[in-house]
Amino acid sequence: METEDRRILIIDDEPSICAGCRMTLADNGYVSDACSTGRSGLKALLSGRYQLVLLDMKLPDMDGMDILQKVKDSGIDLCVIVMTGYASVKNAVDAMKLGTFDYLSKPFSDDELLNAVALAVENRRFKEAHMAVRRQPATRRDFGNIIGENPRILQIFDDIRKVAPTDTTVLLCGESGTGKELFARELYAHSHRSDRPFMAVDCSTFSSSLLESELFGHTKGAFTGAVQDKEGIFSAAGNGTLFLDEVANLNMDIQAKLLRALETHEFKPVGASRLKKADVRFIAATNRDLKTMVREGRFREDLFYRLNVFPIIIPPLRERRDDIPRLLYHFLRQTCRQTGKRVDGFSDESLEILVNDDWPGNVRQLKNVVARLVIIADSPVLECQHLSDHWEAGPEPVRDEVPDSLDALKAAKQNLLDVQFGEIEKAFLKKALSEAGGNITRAARRVGMQRSNFSTLMKKHGLNSAAGPSSDRI
Ligand SMILES: Nc1ncnc2c1ncn2[C@@H]1O[C@H](COP(=O)(O)OP(=O)(O)OP(=O)(O)O)[C@@H](O)[C@H]1O
């Protein structure tokens, strides 16, 4: 974007902003022009000469949103950085929904301007590179640590291959145990920062005050017990990658500090008066619906858009059942190696039950179940009998984060009840079916339910009538 044919346009009615930006950009090798009205700016943009625009949202003759909409309608592929006052951050977020890449809150520093432009340039290069390169057929050869051939997993490998070489922030979303950390590590391994540190922080394991000092460090005397300066994870990550797990657990105060770190790559240790720089690549993960949290006012909207630049959704295991046999055999071999025990495989019947299970704890639960089955196995083939032994050991607890508000506590309680009640409900259906020899009508009658309700519940739990005598819960 530094060359003459890839100019930057600044549209702002304040001459001092235009002049200041142009000077800073010129000092750093960028070529730019400026327009002081919306109409002249729009005309210049529609000429197609510009690939990046710094756009003021409040112009005397036109609204910035109208300009954005018209450019979008024209089909011109433009990277937009919105410049806005603090009062209109909401407006800026709306603009992001129209395809805006970034926003700068006025007044902004030269560094903030240059950071935003550099990110936009990098994003542009990334998009161009991948438009030019023909899509490679999905292959899993270079993802040796991850077991999966399901099309949605292969698509994730493809996405990781594309996004890993950039410094773009990635948000991994998926239920607990789906493999978010594993995918984060693969992303890191495929990035140009793979020879630098990978630091993982579980945001749910620290109290808010401790987390701030863990992340950003602290100075001596910053709080009781801070007997010396301490480097935080941001500093320790050096020029590496920071994996923020369970990012939904950050409180509002730390969210604001993280937002600054994401925007300016600057952070302030607790008790320090000066900002420090950190050139870190961020990967975040969540098992919560951040959009809902934003709607409920529990997660900052601007931080959400900052994190959600490149979301990767990891499906729960029950939505990729074709991978279950591969995972079962992978963990079977792994446990056999670790324990020195010889178990060759699963009987067809037990495999079918395992494949049809709901796996609320996803791959982590499956891994633990296989380990337990191998340990208790007394024959080279795992039979249904072994599964029922496991079932008596109780369902796998689903790990969850420590709630940080009354609402979150209630949601956690409901979640736990749903999971545990679901298990009881399923066992109840299986028992009734088993006692009725697999006959749905008789099973429903025995427990005093209408057949239609009974069979709806069976569908909910993925049971068929054969799930009677032989089918036991894993
Ligand atoms: N596709 C997979 N292939 C092999 N192992 C996997 C796969 N997915 C997950 N695992 C294993 O399952 C366990 C849980 O994975 P991981 O910790 O990455 O999940 P997570 O989504 O980050 O969980 P949480 O949200 O609870 O932190 C790990 O031991 C991981 O190695």
Side-chain angles (χ1 to χ4, degrees), residues 81-137:
I81 297 177
V82 155
M83 300 185 285
T84 176
Y86 278 110
S88 50
V89 163
K90 166 81 180 68
N91 200 356
V93 172
D94 287 345
M96 283 184 123
K97 290 174 192 160
L98 260 183
T100 299
F101 177 74
D102 205 347
Y103 71 89
L104 283 165
S105 293
K106 284 183 185 174
F108 49 83
S109 66
D110 287 354
D111 278 353
E112 284 170 330
L113 169 69
L114 290 171
N115 266 327
V117 168
L119 261 176
V121 168
E122 183 205 329
N123 179 272
R124 181 95 210 164
R125 287 207 182 111
F126 166 65
K127 270 172 79 180
E128 285 176 355
H130 288 286
M131 275 191 288
V133 175
R134 273 183 53 228
R135 274 174 66 89
Q136 288 182 346

Side-chain angles (χ1 to χ4, degrees), residues 140 145-148 153 157 174-183 202 243 245-246 285-287 314 320 323 327 330-331 334 361-365 367 399-400:
R140 62 167 327 287
N145 295 324
I146 303 181
I147 306 300
I153 298 296
F157 292 159
E175 291 179 10
S176 185
T178 45
K180 296 184 292 297
E181 178 157 357
L182 192 65
F183 282 95
D202 184 339
F243 174 54
D245 202 0
E246 311 294 2
T286 181
N287 58 16
I314 306 178
R320 43 177 162 127
D323 276 343
L327 285 160
H330 167 75
F331 292 123
Q334 193 181 78
N362 295 292
V363 183
R364 178 183 293 111
Q365 182 191 10
K367 181 178 174 177
R399 206 186 85 185
D400 217 335

Side-chain angles (χ1 to χ4, degrees), residues 210-385:
L210 199 57
L211 182 60
E212 182 175 354
S213 118
E214 284 297 320
L215 283 177
F216 306 119
H218 63 245
T219 56
K220 182 178 170 184
F223 48 83
T224 321
V227 288
Q228 58 186 38
D229 285 2
K230 186 183 163 217
E231 195 186 50
I233 289 164
F234 267 69
S235 296
N239 298 328
T241 303
L242 182 55
F243 174 54
L244 294 167
D245 202 0
E246 311 294 2
V247 78
N249 280 51
L250 296 174
N251 71 19
M252 285 297 196
D253 188 36
I254 300 194
Q255 285 181 29
K257 290 172 180 156
L258 177 61
L259 179 67
R260 176 171 62 196
L262 279 160
E263 283 181 335
T264 64
H265 287 269
E266 284 177 333
F267 66 96
K268 203 190 272 182
V270 181
S273 51
R274 294 178 56 187
L275 290 167
K276 287 177 113 182
K277 280 264 173 209
D279 170 25
V280 177
R281 198 250 177 101
F282 292 93
I283 305 176
T286 181
N287 58 16
R288 304 254 207 107
D289 181 356
L290 288 186
K291 266 193 198 147
T292 304
M293 290 184 68
V294 168
R295 263 201 307 279
E296 291 169 351
R298 291 192 291 139
F299 201 83
R300 290 181 68 117
E301 188 170 23
D302 43 13
L303 178 59
F304 169 67
Y305 283 109
R306 264 290 175 182
L307 292 174
N308 200 40
V309 182
F310 197 102
I312 292 183
I313 317 288
I314 306 178
L317 193 52
R318 62 186 168 281
E319 289 177 18
R320 43 177 162 127
R321 292 188 192 278
D322 52 328
D323 276 343
I324 292 179
R326 285 181 200 104
L327 285 160
L328 288 168
Y329 274 93
H330 167 75
F331 292 123
L332 179 101
R333 283 191 292 269
Q334 193 181 78
T335 316
C336 286
R337 270 198 310 275
Q338 286 163 357
T339 58
K341 198 156 172 179
R342 200 195 135 194
V343 178
D344 298 334
F346 303 83
S347 70
D348 289 350
E349 247 186 335
S350 61
L351 198 60
E352 195 188 327
I353 294 165
L354 289 163
V355 168
N356 286 315
D357 196 79
D358 275 349
W359 298 109
N362 295 292
V363 183
R364 178 183 293 111
Q365 182 191 10
L366 182 144
K367 181 178 174 177
N368 293 343
V369 165
V370 173
R372 232 177 282 151
L373 289 175
V374 168
I375 290 163
I376 59 169
D378 45 16
S379 64
V381 176
L382 290 166
E383 304 284 353
C384 290
Q385 171 55 33

